[in-house]
């Protein structure tokens, strides 16, 4: 039997870090793209699109990400569609984050005071000009803290991809724990790495918040 | 009355025809918030260059009335004609009217993410399609007029309340409006800042701007108003020139109101 040093454990874990980060980036980018489309629809056609968008958000916020992963990965396989763990994880995480981002960003737009709409109306600005020049820039500032919070959630949620066999941090730590018989070291180390990633994101967020505050 | 009715009929027949004699005409305007009847059969004609002060207890509909004039609120019944254009659901007409009607709010509603200069040039550039350089010059002209040109590159949050309200007035002026609406412009200000805002408004009045002003500053009303209106429970109770309005109010409710706000 091989002896594993603590460094070996960390080295192997660190090798899996890029996958966690890739997956987080895909989930965030995909989620942001989808939610921007949904938000545009919701604001442009509130009567037609309001209900379906709300339903979408409710469905994906109200079901566990784990079930969504199972359904996509194993469900699609049952229907004869072969997926890869990466595809299934990316799809589910994107959809899941898009639900939260849509709701959060919608709230940020609504949080811009009504007086801003009234003042820009009274000046004769058109609706799209009000949105683009007055409301969205202010909503963007409001959205930084909750968006950073969601990014941290996304990073932690990527650990669920391990369930369908995608080798990211959590899956790597399981493999290492099984090989070294030192679960406390492996899982402790992986928790520390998650914390470092998430804490860095929070720090960046705080910095960004300070820079754009008026 | 027949005169009023016929001019309303005329305006209805050709709503976007040449401006009629009045800057603003409200004929039989009614508005409800659900069950609540906020505006009850409001009739008001405002001449060009006229300054009107509207007072009344809170909830009397005075703000709602002036907010109907630039369609921040929708009226359900009656006719509103602004600068010869009848207000309907036609967005083009609403835009047309808003270009000619400036408004100042109780809480200023400056755009916090833009500098003072950008606050002023935004509408001229995007609505009037004015070149930026020209808009900048125009903005500086009006900032000088309200006596704060040195604040041009600051953000609204860095200014005092009185300064912010003067910026808001300058912002409205940059659109070169024919009519200015003021919705309690000094109510949110500390007492020592009220004066500087009122001075700005007096100088506008002296230049012949058509002004409708919801305020409880009765000194201002005496000094500049052509007519003072008292509203209560959604109705215009009394309308008169300032001198008779203050010295000899006709209606009991007006007397009570005046004694309450002038009494201390």
């Amino acid at each position: 039997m091989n002896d594993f040093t603590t460094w070996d454990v960390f080295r192997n874990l660190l090798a899996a870090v890029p996958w966690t980060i890739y997956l987080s980036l895909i989930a965030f980018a995909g989620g942001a793209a989808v939610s921007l489309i949904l938000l545009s629809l919701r604001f442009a056609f509130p009567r037609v699109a309001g209900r379906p968008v709300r339903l979408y958000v409710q469905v994906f916020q109200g079901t566990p990400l784990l079930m969504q992963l199972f359904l996509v990965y194993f469900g699609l396989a049952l229907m004869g569609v072969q997926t890869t763990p990466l595809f299934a994880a990316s799809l589910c995480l994107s959809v899941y984050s898009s639900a939260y981002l849509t709701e959060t960003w919608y709230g940020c737009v609504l949080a811009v005071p009504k007086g801003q709409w009234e003042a820009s109306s009274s000046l004769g600005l058109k609706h799209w000009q009000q949105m683009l020049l007055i409301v969205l820039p202010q909503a963007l500032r409001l959205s930084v803290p909750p968006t950073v919070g969601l990014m941290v959630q996304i990073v932690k949620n990527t650990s669920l991809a391990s369930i369908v066999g995608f080798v990211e941090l959590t899956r790597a730590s399981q493999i290492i724990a099984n090989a070294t018989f030192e679960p406390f070291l492996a899982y402790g180390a992986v928790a520390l790495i998650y914390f470092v990633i998430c804490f860095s994101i929070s720090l960046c967020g705080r910095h960004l918040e300070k820079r754009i505050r008026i | 009355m027949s005169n009023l009715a016929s001019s309303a009929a005329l305006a209805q027949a050709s709503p976007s025809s040449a401006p009629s004699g009045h800057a603003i005409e409200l004929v039989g305007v009614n508005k409800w918030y659900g069950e609540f009847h906020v505006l009850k059969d409001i009739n008001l004609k405002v001449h060009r260059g006229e300054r009107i002060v509207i007072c009344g207890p809170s909830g009397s509909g005075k703000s709602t009335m002036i907010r109907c004039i630039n369609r921040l609120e929708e009226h359900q019944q009656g006719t509103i004609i602004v600068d010869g254009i009848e207000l309907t659901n036609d967005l083009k007409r609403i835009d047309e009217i808003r270009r000619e009607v400036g408004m100042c709010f109780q809480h200023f509603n400056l755009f916090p993410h833009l500098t003072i200069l950008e606050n002023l040039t935004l509408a001229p550039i995007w609505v009037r399609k004015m070149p930026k350089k020209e808009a900048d010059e125009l903005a500086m002209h009006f900032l000088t007029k309200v006596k704060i040109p040195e604040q041009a590159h600051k953000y609204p949050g860095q200014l005092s309340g009185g300064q912010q309200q003067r910026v808001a007035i300058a912002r409205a002026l940059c659109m070169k409006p024919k009519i200015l609406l003021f919705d309690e412009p000094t109510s949110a200000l500390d007492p020592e800042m009220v004066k500087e805002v009122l001075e700005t408004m007096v100088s506008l009045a002296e230049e012949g701007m058509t002004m409708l002003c919801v305020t409880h500053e009765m000194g201002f009303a005496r000094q500049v108003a052509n007519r003072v209106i008292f509203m209560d429970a959604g109705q215009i109770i009394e309308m008169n020139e300032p001198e008779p309005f203050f010295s000899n109010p006709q209606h009991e409710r007006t007397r009570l109101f005046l004694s309450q706000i002038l009494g201390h």
Side-chain angles (χ1 to χ4, degrees):
Chain A
M1 201 181 103
N2 287 327
D3 281 334
F4 292 92
T5 62
T6 308
W7 168 240
D8 285 328
V9 170
F10 265 98
R11 194 163 48 88
N12 282 294
L13 281 177
L14 287 174
V17 166
W19 286 106
T20 288
I21 290 176
Y22 290 151
L23 203 52
S24 304
L25 287 177
I26 293 172
F28 183 73
V34 172
S35 69
L36 285 179
I37 294 170
L38 293 179
L39 278 176
S40 313
L41 287 173
R42 192 166 179 179
F43 282 115
F45 314 102
R47 294 220 181 113
V48 189
R51 220 174 242 259
V53 171
R54 272 205 303 274
L55 185 70
Y56 174 92
V57 170
Q58 289 305 327
V59 165
F60 289 102
Q61 279 190 343
T63 51
L65 178 56
L66 192 58
M67 296 307 132
Q68 295 168 19
L69 267 170
F70 281 157
L71 284 174
V72 169
Y73 188 65
F74 300 114
L76 283 182
L78 278 178
M79 285 191 288
V81 183
Q82 279 305 320
T83 52
T84 63
L86 175 63
F87 175 80
S90 304
L91 180 69
C92 290
L93 279 163
S94 297
V95 169
Y96 189 75
S97 350
S98 75
Y100 280 91
L101 288 170
T102 301
E103 199 59 9
T104 306
W105 289 346
Y106 186 71
C108 291
V109 172
L110 293 194
V112 174
K114 211 171 133 236
Q116 296 290 308
W117 285 100
E118 293 181 347
S120 45
S121 291
S122 77
L123 289 166
L125 264 67
K126 293 194 186 340
H127 185 80
W128 67 267
Q129 294 172 327
Q130 295 178 288
M131 201 61 164
L132 203 69
L133 302 168
I134 305 299
V135 175
L136 285 182
Q138 293 182 58
L140 194 69
R141 278 149 219 255
L142 293 172
S143 74
V144 171
T147 304
V148 170
L150 281 176
M151 283 171 92
V152 168
Q153 294 295 333
I154 292 171
V155 170
K156 292 190 291 181
N157 280 337
T158 58
S159 63
L160 288 174
S162 61
I163 290 294
V164 294
F166 183 77
V167 185
E168 38 64 75
L169 262 175
T170 302
R171 185 86 190 104
S173 68
Q174 287 167 344
I175 295 167
I176 291 165
N178 290 338
T180 59
F181 300 110
E182 287 195 84
F184 189 77
L185 176 66
Y187 294 136
V190 86
L192 185 69
I193 295 174
Y194 273 116
F195 178 77
V196 170
I197 298 173
C198 293
F199 189 61
S200 323
I201 294 175
S202 298
L203 279 184
C204 291
R206 217 175 298 168
H207 179 69
L208 195 64
E209 241 179 280
K210 264 188 206 145
R211 273 196 47 187
I212 62 172
R213 182 178 300 153
I214 294 296
Chain B
M1 201 61 207
S2 68
N3 188 6
L4 191 147
S6 66
S7 71
L10 243 175
Q12 257 165 347
S14 52
S16 52
S17 66
S20 68
H22 294 101
I24 304 169
E25 279 185 70
L26 282 79
V27 183
V29 172
N30 279 283
K31 177 173 175 61
W32 289 263
Y33 286 127
E35 290 287 288
F36 182 57
H37 201 171
V38 249
L39 294 180
K40 297 174 188 160
D41 196 32
I42 300 285
N43 290 289
L44 174 66
K45 288 184 180 186
V46 182
H47 301 285
R48 289 176 197 286
E50 197 176 16
R51 280 96 54 189
I52 291 186
V53 163
I54 303 152
C55 60
S58 64
S60 59
K62 48 198 191 318
S63 289
T64 308
M65 182 177 82
I66 67 164
R67 288 159 60 88
C68 280
I69 293 169
N70 67 348
R71 227 346 127 102
L72 290 186
E73 306 273 357
E74 203 174 319
H75 62 286
Q76 278 108 35
Q77 228 176 58
T79 313
I80 298 179
I81 301 166
V82 184
D83 195 32
I85 306 165
E86 188 187 341
L87 258 179
T88 61
N89 283 325
D90 183 355
L91 286 176
K92 241 176 129 180
R93 274 194 211 173
I94 294 172
D95 281 343
E96 222 174 305
I97 286 172
R98 284 175 175 168
R99 279 198 291 270
E100 307 306 331
V101 180
M103 188 162 195
C104 296
F105 300 84
Q106 181 176 1
H107 296 288
F108 333 129
N109 299 353
L110 296 178
F111 307 130
H113 60 299
L114 302 177
T115 64
I116 300 306
L117 192 67
E118 288 165 342
N119 264 276
L120 266 63
T121 56
L122 185 86
I125 290 172
W126 287 87
V127 180
R128 294 258 190 247
K129 314 286 175 209
M130 192 182 278
K132 191 182 173 303
K133 196 165 162 280
E134 201 180 316
D136 281 349
E137 283 167 15
L138 183 74
M140 287 314 295
H141 168 75
F142 283 114
L143 274 183
T144 310
K145 202 175 146 96
V146 300
K147 302 196 179 80
I148 34 175
E150 72 283 357
Q151 313 284 4
H153 297 287
K154 289 194 183 161
Y155 285 90
Q158 297 168 288
L159 270 58
S160 74
Q163 289 173 328
Q164 290 193 46
Q165 193 59 293
R166 284 186 281 156
V167 170
I169 294 173
R171 178 175 70 178
L173 290 175
C174 279
M175 282 296 284
K176 302 248 176 86
K178 293 178 181 155
I179 299 160
L180 267 184
L181 308 173
F182 291 88
D183 191 359
E184 306 209 26
T186 57
S187 300
L189 296 176
D190 291 334
E192 72 267 29
M193 291 169 185
V194 170
K195 196 166 155 251
E196 63 189 52
V197 171
L198 288 181
E199 277 169 3
T200 309
M201 289 165 65
V202 170
S203 77
L204 279 175
E206 283 163 355
E207 286 165 29
M209 174 69 78
T210 307
M211 291 163 71
L212 257 80
C213 186
V214 173
T215 184
H216 292 153
E217 295 293 334
M218 291 301 129
F220 173 78
R222 272 181 211 276
Q223 193 183 344
V224 307
N226 300 105
R227 276 187 291 170
V228 183
I229 291 175
F230 173 69
M231 281 181 79
D232 192 20
Q235 285 171 305
I236 294 182
I237 304 289
E238 187 155 350
M239 170 154 55
N240 214 336
E241 287 166 18
E243 174 46 33
F245 181 89
F246 289 111
S247 58
N248 187 22
Q250 298 299 304
H251 206 285
E252 182 54 36
R253 268 189 283 179
T254 318
R255 252 172 271 170
L256 189 67
F257 177 77
L258 287 177
S259 73
Q260 274 165 347
I261 63 164
L262 297 173
H264 49 85

